[in-house]
Amino acid sequence: MKKYIIALSALVMASSCATDEAYDSANQNPNKPTQVTSDALFTSATKTLFDQNESTSVNSNIFRLLSQYWTETTYIDEANYDLVTRNIPQNYWSNIYRNVLFDLKDAKTRANNANKKAMIEVVEVYTWQQMVDTFGDIPYSAALQGSADPTPVYDDAADIYADLLVRLNSALANFNPNPASVSEQGFTTSDVIYHGDINHWLKFANSLKLKIAMRLSDVNASVSKTAAEQAVAAGVFTSNSDNATIQYEANPTNANPLWVDLVQSNRTDFVVANTVVDYMNAKNDPRREFYFDDNLVGGYEGGTYGASNNYNSKTHIGDLMHQQTFRGVLLDYSEVQFLLAEAAARTYNTGSSVTTHYNNAITASMQDWGVSSSDITTYLLRPDVAYATAAGDWRQKIGFQFWLAMYNRGHEGWSVYRKFDTPAMNVPPISEEAVPTRLTYPLNEQTLNKTNYTAAASAIGGDLKGTKLFWDVN
């Protein structure tokens, strides 16, 4: 199995939360190299991005809880949407700015050809979109300057989205799938996603463009339609073999962070939430045997969301997610097909019908988890699943199945819920709060970057968990 070359880049503070002294001291570690290659930086940043999304550490990634796929057993603050006690926004913000975006920026300055720079750009765009989708307005154009600008201004989230489309178009134009020499190739052994296959990177970039376009569908229909149709025409994912994934290894250093959190830690902090279990039980969903563990005699029973739960009497998380080698995912074919289903419902030119994309999306999800063909066929024929007869309008039909398919991709499941406003979620009994629509800004921003923080909070309508993002208008 491929070994990851994980270089230790110089530890640098994100410009949005660092003072000059903190930044300078963080860059002077005698035990770490001060000169690293673009390959090492690209690998490290990419793996960190995967790790952040895969992890279930309550200190930095509670998105499976926000999506109500999982709930907690004893310590239930996070399932009740307490973001403050563990300083979750700060941990998430710092990790992404410092260990992903800064390293990618550094890698780009060291990259020596167009293919490498384009690959970096695609991962950067993915990461910036995720940051916007988490917080709203964020430091962007003035970010990552370190001691040169430790208090960067915040950019408008919609403006960032517009720039991300420009950057993706530039990256797509700069890719060369047939380089004339080895020196013109992209990253190869240091590319943990596609191992240097530029044609797959083109599909990834176009699929990401489609994703951004469809986030805009409720707020800028013309830009959304144009960008989505361009992405489809140029070529998006066409099967699960195109998925943007990382293959983790059977060793503690490069194991899936889920294994670290669920197995190596020897903790029993999580069970599957009754929210997702009840919905899947009602439809006899064949993914249950993969999503969930069959540890109860009487079938699947989720823990009451947001309440204390007895670990041994509730359904556990599935075996696959306890494996060191379980793959990590940034974007997959199922997601692309659900995006195309929405696009077709809005009469964008996608080349197929809503029903076809909808069926393709569900099928892709089930195939990726290992469901048999016969079980897939049976599920798609259920009157409460088939697109023609399932309850609700197109938004509810697509959104519900989209949310089910994003199980184990907590951030994306949370985004799907916010965009489609489905399914109905449970109310945690302690806080009695609705699902947050964003993470609040880190505490450091309120002290180290107070002027710009205050302006940003005012611009978005208040630094609150219930403040909606610009694209969340329904």
Side-chain angles (χ1 to χ4, degrees), residues 242-262:
D242 295 327
N243 295 350
T245 61
I246 187 172
Q247 181 60 60
Y248 285 103
E249 295 183 346
N251 65 71
T253 302
N254 289 319
N256 191 308
L258 279 174
W259 175 83
V260 176
D261 297 331
L262 299 176

Side-chain angles (χ1 to χ4, degrees), residues 145-369:
Q145 301 302 313
S147 57
D149 185 4
T151 57
V153 299
Y154 286 56
D155 290 77
D156 178 80
D159 291 342
I160 297 173
Y161 254 65
D163 191 57
L164 295 182
L165 285 175
V166 172
R167 292 176 64 172
L168 268 183
N169 287 335
S170 177
L172 284 162
N174 289 331
F175 274 122
N176 178 10
N178 299 300
S181 65
V182 173
S183 64
E184 296 176 9
Q185 291 179 347
F187 298 108
T188 53
T189 57
S190 54
D191 171 15
V192 298
I193 305 177
Y194 296 120
H195 316 298
D197 188 329
I198 299 301
N199 286 313
H200 267 121
W201 275 97
L202 285 165
K203 286 187 176 183
F204 182 24
N206 279 310
S207 298
L208 180 55
K209 182 176 178 178
L210 172 67
K211 177 178 177 177
I212 293 173
M214 297 317 298
R215 281 283 199 275
L216 295 170
S217 59
D218 286 325
V219 292
N220 196 331
S222 61
V223 169
S224 173
K225 184 175 188 294
T226 297
E229 290 180 348
Q230 287 174 348
V232 172
V236 295
F237 290 169
T238 57
S239 73
N240 279 324
S241 65
D242 295 327
N243 295 350
T245 61
I246 187 172
Q247 181 60 60
Y248 285 103
E249 295 183 346
N251 65 71
T253 302
N254 289 319
N256 191 308
L258 279 174
W259 175 83
V260 176
D261 297 331
L262 299 176
V263 180
Q264 188 179 53
S265 68
N266 197 32
R267 295 177 64 95
T268 55
D269 294 328
F270 303 101
V271 291
V272 183
N274 62 335
T275 314
V276 69
V277 172
D278 291 349
Y279 281 125
M280 296 183 80
N281 279 345
K283 288 180 167 46
N284 199 29
D285 194 308
R287 283 169 292 193
R288 289 175 300 170
E289 66 176 284
F290 302 95
Y291 285 7
F292 315 144
D293 186 19
D294 189 19
N295 59 291
L296 302 179
V297 175
Y300 304 106
E301 182 181 345
T304 301
Y305 184 80
S308 295
N309 289 281
N310 182 284
Y311 180 78
N312 292 323
S313 65
K314 302 299 180 182
T315 293
H316 298 168
I317 296 153
D319 288 340
L320 281 173
M321 285 161 279
H322 287 78
Q323 296 179 7
Q324 288 176 298
T325 58
F326 187 54
R327 83 291 185 272
V329 182
L330 291 184
L331 199 153
D332 61 27
Y333 177 53
S334 177
E335 180 180 357
V336 167
Q337 283 296 315
F338 277 118
L339 295 170
L340 291 174
E342 180 197 347
R346 294 178 181 273
T347 71
Y348 297 5
N349 183 10
T350 66
S352 292
S353 66
V354 181
T355 301
T356 297
H357 290 306
Y358 174 86
N359 288 341
N360 287 346
I362 296 171
T363 299
S365 170
M366 292 190 171
Q367 288 177 338
D368 190 43
W369 283 88

Side-chain angles (χ1 to χ4, degrees), residues 19 124 254 282 329 411 415:
T19 64
E124 283 182 317
N254 289 319
V329 182
H411 193 282
S415 295

Side-chain angles (χ1 to χ4, degrees), residues 16-17 90 93 139 154 442-450 453:
S16 56
C17 62
Q90 182 67 65
W93 176 286
Y154 286 56
L443 294 176
N444 279 7
E445 286 295 290
Q446 301 174 35
T447 56
L448 301 179
N449 195 14
K450 184 175 182 179
Y453 158 79

